[in-house]
Coordinates of all heavy atoms in Angstrom, one line a residue:
Q647 N 114.7 108.6 98.2 CA 115.4 108.8 99.5 C 114.5 108.1 100.5 O 113.2 108.3 100.5 CB 115.6 110.2 99.8 CG 116.6 110.9 99.0 CD 116.0 111.3 97.6 OE1 114.9 111.8 97.4 NE2 116.8 111.0 96.6
L648 N 115.0 107.4 101.5 CA 114.2 106.8 102.6 C 114.8 107.3 103.9 O 115.9 107.3 104.2 CB 114.4 105.3 102.5 CG 114.0 104.6 101.2 CD1 114.3 103.1 101.3 CD2 112.5 104.7 101.0
V649 N 113.9 107.8 104.7 CA 114.2 108.4 106.0 C 113.4 107.6 107.0 O 112.2 107.6 107.1 CB 113.9 109.8 106.1 CG1 114.2 110.4 107.5 CG2 114.6 110.6 105.1
Q650 N 114.2 107.0 107.9 CA 113.6 106.1 109.0 C 113.4 106.9 110.3 O 114.2 107.8 110.6 CB 114.6 104.9 109.3 CG 114.7 104.0 108.1 CD 115.7 102.9 108.4 OE1 116.5 102.4 107.6 NE2 115.6 102.3 109.6
S651 N 112.5 106.5 111.0 CA 112.3 107.0 112.4 C 111.8 105.8 113.3 O 111.2 104.9 112.9 CB 111.3 108.2 112.4 OG 110.1 107.8 111.9
G652 N 111.9 106.1 114.6 CA 111.5 105.1 115.6 C 112.8 104.3 116.1 O 113.9 104.7 115.8
G653 N 112.5 103.2 116.7 CA 113.6 102.4 117.3 C 113.9 102.9 118.7 O 113.3 103.8 119.3
G654 N 115.0 102.3 119.2 CA 115.4 102.7 120.6 C 115.6 101.4 121.5 O 115.8 100.3 121.0
L655 N 115.6 101.7 122.8 CA 115.8 100.6 123.8 C 114.6 100.3 124.5 O 114.0 101.3 125.1 CB 116.9 101.1 124.7 CG 117.2 100.3 126.0 CD1 117.7 98.9 125.6 CD2 118.2 101.0 126.9
V656 N 114.1 99.0 124.6 CA 113.0 98.6 125.3 C 113.3 97.4 126.0 O 114.3 96.7 125.8 CB 111.8 98.4 124.3 CG1 111.4 99.7 123.7 CG2 112.1 97.3 123.3
Q657 N 112.4 97.0 126.9 CA 112.5 95.7 127.7 C 111.8 94.6 126.9 O 110.9 94.9 126.1 CB 112.1 95.8 129.0 CG 112.8 96.8 129.9 CD 112.4 96.7 131.3 OE1 111.3 96.5 131.7 NE2 113.4 97.1 132.3
A658 N 112.3 93.4 127.1 CA 111.5 92.3 126.6 C 110.0 92.3 126.8 O 109.6 92.6 127.9 CB 112.1 91.0 127.0
G659 N 109.2 92.0 125.7 CA 107.8 92.0 125.9 C 107.1 93.4 125.5 O 105.9 93.4 125.3
E660 N 107.9 94.4 125.4 CA 107.4 95.7 125.0 C 107.3 95.8 123.5 O 107.6 94.9 122.8 CB 108.3 96.8 125.6 CG 108.2 96.8 127.1 CD 109.0 98.0 127.7 OE1 109.9 98.5 127.0 OE2 108.7 98.3 128.9
S661 N 106.8 97.0 123.0 CA 106.5 97.2 121.7 C 107.3 98.4 121.2 O 107.6 99.4 121.9 CB 105.0 97.4 121.4 OG 104.3 96.3 121.8
L662 N 107.5 98.5 119.8 CA 108.1 99.6 119.2 C 107.5 99.7 117.8 O 107.1 98.7 117.2 CB 109.6 99.5 119.0 CG 110.5 99.8 120.2 CD1 112.0 99.5 119.8 CD2 110.4 101.4 120.5
R663 N 107.5 100.9 117.2 CA 107.0 101.0 115.8 C 108.1 101.8 115.0 O 108.6 102.9 115.5 CB 105.7 101.8 115.7 CG 105.2 101.8 114.3 CD 103.8 102.3 114.2 NE 103.8 103.8 114.0 CZ 102.9 104.5 113.4 NH1 101.8 103.9 112.9 NH2 103.0 105.8 113.3
L664 N 108.5 101.3 113.9 CA 109.4 101.9 113.0 C 108.6 102.5 111.8 O 107.6 101.9 111.4 CB 110.4 100.9 112.4 CG 111.2 100.1 113.5 CD1 112.3 99.2 112.8 CD2 111.9 101.0 114.5
S665 N 109.2 103.6 111.3 CA 108.5 104.3 110.2 C 109.6 104.5 109.1 O 110.8 104.8 109.5 CB 107.8 105.6 110.6 OG 106.8 105.4 111.5
C666 N 109.2 104.6 107.9 CA 110.2 104.9 106.8 C 109.4 105.6 105.7 O 108.4 105.1 105.2 CB 110.7 103.5 106.3 SG 111.7 103.7 104.8
A667 N 109.8 106.9 105.5 CA 109.1 107.7 104.6 C 110.0 107.8 103.3 O 111.2 108.1 103.4 CB 108.9 109.1 105.2
A668 N 109.4 107.6 102.2 CA 110.0 107.7 100.9 C 109.7 109.0 100.2 O 108.6 109.5 100.3 CB 109.6 106.5 100.0
S669 N 110.7 109.5 99.5 CA 110.6 110.7 98.7 C 111.4 110.6 97.4 O 112.3 109.7 97.4 CB 111.0 111.9 99.6 OG 112.3 111.9 99.9
G670 N 111.2 111.5 96.6 CA 111.9 111.4 95.3 C 111.1 110.7 94.2 O 109.9 110.9 94.1
S671 N 111.7 109.8 93.5 CA 111.1 109.1 92.3 C 110.2 107.9 92.9 O 110.5 106.8 92.6 CB 112.1 108.6 91.4 OG 112.8 109.7 90.9
I672 N 109.2 108.2 93.7 CA 108.5 107.2 94.4 C 107.6 106.4 93.4 O 107.2 105.3 93.7 CB 107.6 107.8 95.5 CG1 106.7 108.9 94.9 CG2 108.5 108.3 96.6 CD1 105.8 109.5 95.9
F673 N 107.4 106.9 92.2 CA 106.6 106.2 91.2 C 107.2 104.9 90.8 O 106.6 104.0 90.3 CB 106.3 107.1 90.0 CG 107.6 107.4 89.3 CD1 108.2 106.7 88.3 CD2 108.2 108.6 89.6 CE1 109.3 107.0 87.7 CE2 109.4 109.1 89.0 CZ 110.0 108.2 88.0
S674 N 108.6 104.8 91.0 CA 109.3 103.6 90.6 C 109.4 102.5 91.6 O 109.8 101.5 91.4 CB 110.8 104.1 90.3 OG 111.4 104.4 91.4
I675 N 108.7 102.8 92.8 CA 108.8 101.8 93.9 C 107.8 100.8 93.8 O 106.6 101.1 93.5 CB 108.7 102.6 95.2 CG1 109.9 103.5 95.5 CG2 108.6 101.5 96.4 CD1 109.8 104.3 96.7
S676 N 108.1 99.5 94.0 CA 107.1 98.5 94.1 C 107.1 98.0 95.5 O 106.5 98.5 96.4 CB 107.4 97.3 93.1 OG 108.7 96.8 93.2
D677 N 107.9 96.9 95.8 CA 107.9 96.4 97.2 C 108.6 97.3 98.1 O 109.6 98.0 97.7 CB 108.6 95.0 97.2 CG 107.9 94.0 96.3 OD1 106.8 94.3 95.8 OD2 108.5 92.9 96.1
M678 N 108.2 97.3 99.4 CA 109.0 97.9 100.5 C 109.1 97.0 101.7 O 108.3 96.0 101.7 CB 108.4 99.2 100.9 CG 108.2 100.3 99.8 SD 107.6 101.8 100.4 CE 109.0 102.5 101.4
G679 N 110.0 97.2 102.5 CA 110.1 96.4 103.7 C 111.2 96.7 104.6 O 111.8 97.8 104.6
W680 N 111.5 95.7 105.5 CA 112.5 95.9 106.5 C 113.4 94.7 106.6 O 113.0 93.6 106.6 CB 111.9 96.1 107.9 CG 110.9 97.3 108.0 CD1 109.6 97.4 107.6 CD2 111.4 98.6 108.4 NE1 109.2 98.7 107.8 CE2 110.2 99.4 108.3 CE3 112.5 99.2 108.9 CZ2 110.2 100.8 108.6 CZ3 112.6 100.5 109.2 CH2 111.5 101.3 109.1
Y681 N 114.7 95.1 106.6 CA 115.8 94.1 106.9 C 116.3 94.4 108.3 O 116.2 95.5 108.7 CB 116.8 94.1 105.8 CG 116.6 93.3 104.6 CD1 115.7 93.7 103.6 CD2 117.3 92.1 104.3 CE1 115.4 93.0 102.4 CE2 117.1 91.4 103.1 CZ 116.1 91.8 102.2 OH 115.9 91.1 101.1
R682 N 117.0 93.4 108.8 CA 117.7 93.7 110.1 C 119.0 92.9 110.1 O 119.1 91.9 109.4 CB 116.8 93.3 111.3 CG 116.4 91.8 111.4 CD 115.5 91.6 112.5 NE 115.2 90.2 112.7 CZ 114.5 89.7 113.7 NH1 113.9 90.6 114.6 NH2 114.3 88.4 113.8
Q683 N 119.9 93.5 110.9 CA 121.2 92.9 111.0 C 121.7 93.0 112.4 O 121.9 94.1 112.9 CB 122.2 93.6 110.1 CG 123.6 93.0 110.0 CD 124.4 93.5 108.9 OE1 124.3 94.6 108.4 NE2 125.5 92.8 108.5
A684 N 121.9 91.8 113.0 CA 122.3 91.7 114.3 C 123.9 91.7 114.3 O 124.4 91.3 113.3 CB 121.8 90.5 115.0

């Protein structure tokens, strides 16, 4: 299970941090990352 937090509305030039916490069978995980869809 992956639970994300962060995001929102900002102005150009500003910063944000996204987090993603994994739980469950985490021993099976290798790569992690972020995709995006506009």
Side-chain angles (χ1 to χ4, degrees):
Q647 294 79 43
L648 301 176
V649 178
Q650 299 178 214
S651 59
L655 172 63
V656 297
Q657 293 187 335
E660 295 184 339
S661 299
L662 280 175
R663 189 174 84 153
L664 305 181
S665 300
C666 174
S669 62
S671 302
I672 56 176
F673 61 88
S674 67
I675 295 174
S676 57
D677 300 354
M678 297 185 73
W680 297 88
Y681 276 72
R682 63 184 185 177
Q683 186 168 18

